[in-house]
C-alpha cells in the first residue's frame, strides 16, 4: 500500500516544528560543492530518515545531505521505492533569518514520482500531489489555479544566477511579464506557481531533490514545465536540470516561445 499523504504531511510538519523552527537563523557553513548547510539541515534529514524507515522500512531514502556516491548507489539499486528528500530547501534564507524555506519529499517508484509534498514551516502550508489524482494545498484541490492572465500581466519567478548571461540580461532588461519575484527556495517556487501566485518560472540548474516533488505538484495542478531542450524536467538522475514552466499551458507556450526568441509579450 502506498503511503498516505495525510500521514506524510503530519510527519513532516512535526519534524519541522522540532528541528527547523527552533534553529531558524542558525549559522551556515559551506560544503565542498559551495552550497550551504546548517545543523538544521542535518538534524531534519536524520529525524525524517528515522521516522520514514520506522514506518516504511522497505523504502530507502536519498537525502540531499548524503555523499554523491551514496546517492547514485541508491538510485541504481533501490527497487521497492525511494524517498527523495530535501530537508531544508532555502538554506541561505534560513541562515539569514529570511522566512522563505521549505521541506521537500517525493516518492520514486519504478522511475516515476508517485507522491510529492512540499511543506512551508513559516506559513504552515502543505502542498501535496498524488500521481494521477491531483494536487492540493492544505487538502484543498489545486486544479487550474492560474488566473488566465496574459503573459504581459503576469509575475515571473526567475533564478538569474544559474542562467546563461545573455538570457539573464534579456530577461532582466526586456521582461515579457509585468513583475519578477524569486523566493530562493526552488521547491516553494514550484508550488507557488502551482497555486497561481506566480505565472511563469525560469531556473537554469536544479538538482533532483529540488524539483522531484514540486514538478509533480505543478503537473497535477494543471501547470506545464520542460527543460530548455524541451524534455520533461523530471528524470531520476543526479545531473542538474533546467526549468521553463507556466501555471497553465497557454502561459507555458508563450513563455517558452519568448525564451527561444520566437514569441513576443502578449
Amino acid at each position: 500500500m502506498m503511503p498516505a499523504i495525510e500521514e506524510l504531511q503530519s510527519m513532516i510538519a512535526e519534524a519541522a516544528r522540532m528541528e527547523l523552527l527552533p534553529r531558524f537563523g542558525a549559522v551556515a557553513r559551506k560544503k565542498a560543492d559551495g552550497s550551504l548547510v546548517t545543523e538544521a539541515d542535518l538534524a531534519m534529514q536524520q529525524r525524517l530518515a528515522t521516522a520514514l524507515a520506522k514506518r516504511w522500512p522497505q523504502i530507502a531514502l536519498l537525502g540531499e545531505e548524503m555523499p554523491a556516491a551514496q546517492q547514485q548507489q541508491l538510485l541504481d539499486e533501490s527497487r521497492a521505492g525511494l524517498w527523495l528528500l530535501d530537508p531544508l530547501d532555502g538554506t541561505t534564507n534560513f541562515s539569514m533569518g529570511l522566512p522563505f524555506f521549505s521541506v521537500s519529499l517525493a516518492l520514486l517508484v519504478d522511475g516515476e514520482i508517485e507522491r510529492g509534498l512540499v511543506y512551508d514551516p513559516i506559513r504552515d502550508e502543505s502542498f501535496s500531489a498524488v500521481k494521477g489524482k491531483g494536487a492540493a494545498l492544505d487538502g484543498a484541490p489545486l486544479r487550474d489555479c492560474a488566473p488566465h492572465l496574459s503573459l504581459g500581466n503576469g509575475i515571473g519567478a526567475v533564478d538569474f544566477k544559474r542562467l546563461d548571461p545573455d538570457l539573464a540580461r534579456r530577461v532582466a532588461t526586456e521582461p515579457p511579464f509585468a513583475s519578477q519575484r524569486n523566493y530562493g527556495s526552488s521547491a516553494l517556487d514550484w508550488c507557488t506557481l502551482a497555486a497561481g501566485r506566480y505565472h511563469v518560472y525560469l531556473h537554469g540548474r536544479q538538482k533532483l531533490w529540488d524539483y522531484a516533488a514540486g514538478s509533480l505538484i505543478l503537473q497535477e495542478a494543471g501547470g506545464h514545465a520542460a527543460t530548455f531542450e524541451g524534455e520533461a524536467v523530471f528524470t531520476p538522475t543526479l545531473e542538474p536540470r533546467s526549468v521553463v514552466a507556466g501555471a497553465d499551458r497557454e502561459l507555458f507556450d508563450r513563455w517558452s516561445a519568448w525564451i527561444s526568441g520566437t514569441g513576443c509579450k502578449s
Side-chain angles (χ1 to χ4, degrees):
M1 180 179 293
M2 285 284 186
I5 285 290
E6 295 78 10
E7 187 173 358
L8 291 169
Q9 289 173 324
S10 178
M11 186 181 294
I12 291 171
E14 180 182 4
R17 286 193 295 269
M18 297 295 293
E19 305 295 351
L20 296 186
L21 293 179
R23 294 181 171 95
F24 185 35
V27 175
R29 60 177 174 81
K30 279 192 175 184
K31 297 188 288 188
D33 64 1
S35 62
L36 298 180
V37 66
T38 69
E39 178 184 308
D41 296 73
L42 302 174
M44 186 68 176
Q45 180 164 298
Q46 183 57 55
R47 176 177 283 267
L48 281 177
T50 300
L52 290 166
K54 182 177 180 180
R55 183 66 179 83
W56 297 283
Q58 75 280 15
I59 304 176
L61 181 138
L62 184 159
E64 180 186 8
E65 306 309 331
M66 290 177 172
Q70 183 181 2
Q71 292 171 339
Q72 188 60 60
Q73 183 177 7
L74 286 164
L75 283 175
D76 293 341
E77 297 179 359
S78 296
R79 297 291 178 263
L82 182 65
W83 298 113
L84 304 174
L85 172 66
D86 190 338
L88 176 52
D89 185 45
T91 299
T92 299
N93 286 347
F94 182 87
S95 66
M96 296 296 180
L98 293 171
F100 302 106
F101 56 90
S102 61
V103 184
S104 178
L105 180 70
L107 177 59
L108 176 67
V109 180
D110 295 329
E112 300 286 341
I113 298 298
E114 296 290 339
R115 300 283 190 275
L117 297 99
V118 175
Y119 179 63
D120 179 345
I122 294 294
R123 291 165 188 77
D124 190 28
E125 286 189 332
S126 184
F127 298 85
S128 63
V130 175
K131 184 174 176 61
K133 296 186 177 180
L137 167 56
D138 293 335
L142 279 178
R143 173 58 67 178
D144 297 327
C145 288
H148 304 292
L149 292 175
S150 67
L151 179 57
N153 290 324
I155 295 176
V158 180
D159 182 278
F160 283 97
K161 70 179 181 180
R162 297 175 178 87
L163 295 180
D164 172 84
D166 289 337
L167 177 57
R169 188 178 306 110
R170 184 170 166 239
V171 175
T173 60
E174 306 171 33
F177 41 71
S179 188
Q180 185 267 328
R181 301 287 188 276
N182 179 241
Y183 278 155
S185 166
S186 297
L188 271 186
D189 285 334
W190 280 99
C191 296
T192 303
L193 186 64
R197 298 171 183 174
Y198 290 159
H199 306 114
V200 292
Y201 183 41
L202 184 63
H203 199 292
R205 196 170 183 272
Q206 286 190 4
K207 295 290 187 69
L208 179 60
W209 42 84
D210 294 321
Y211 63 75
S215 61
L216 178 65
I217 292 168
L218 177 65
Q219 176 184 317
E220 292 292 330
H224 294 265
T227 65
F228 288 140
E229 296 76 27
E231 301 172 347
V233 174
F234 177 77
T235 184
T237 177
L238 295 181
E239 291 300 314
R241 306 284 282 174
S242 57
V243 179
V244 179
D248 62 25
R249 184 68 200 219
E250 183 176 354
L251 284 166
F252 170 78
D253 287 343
R254 291 187 180 280
W255 181 221
S256 298
W258 186 89
I259 290 169
S260 67
T262 61
C264 60
K265 176 173 70 174
S266 60

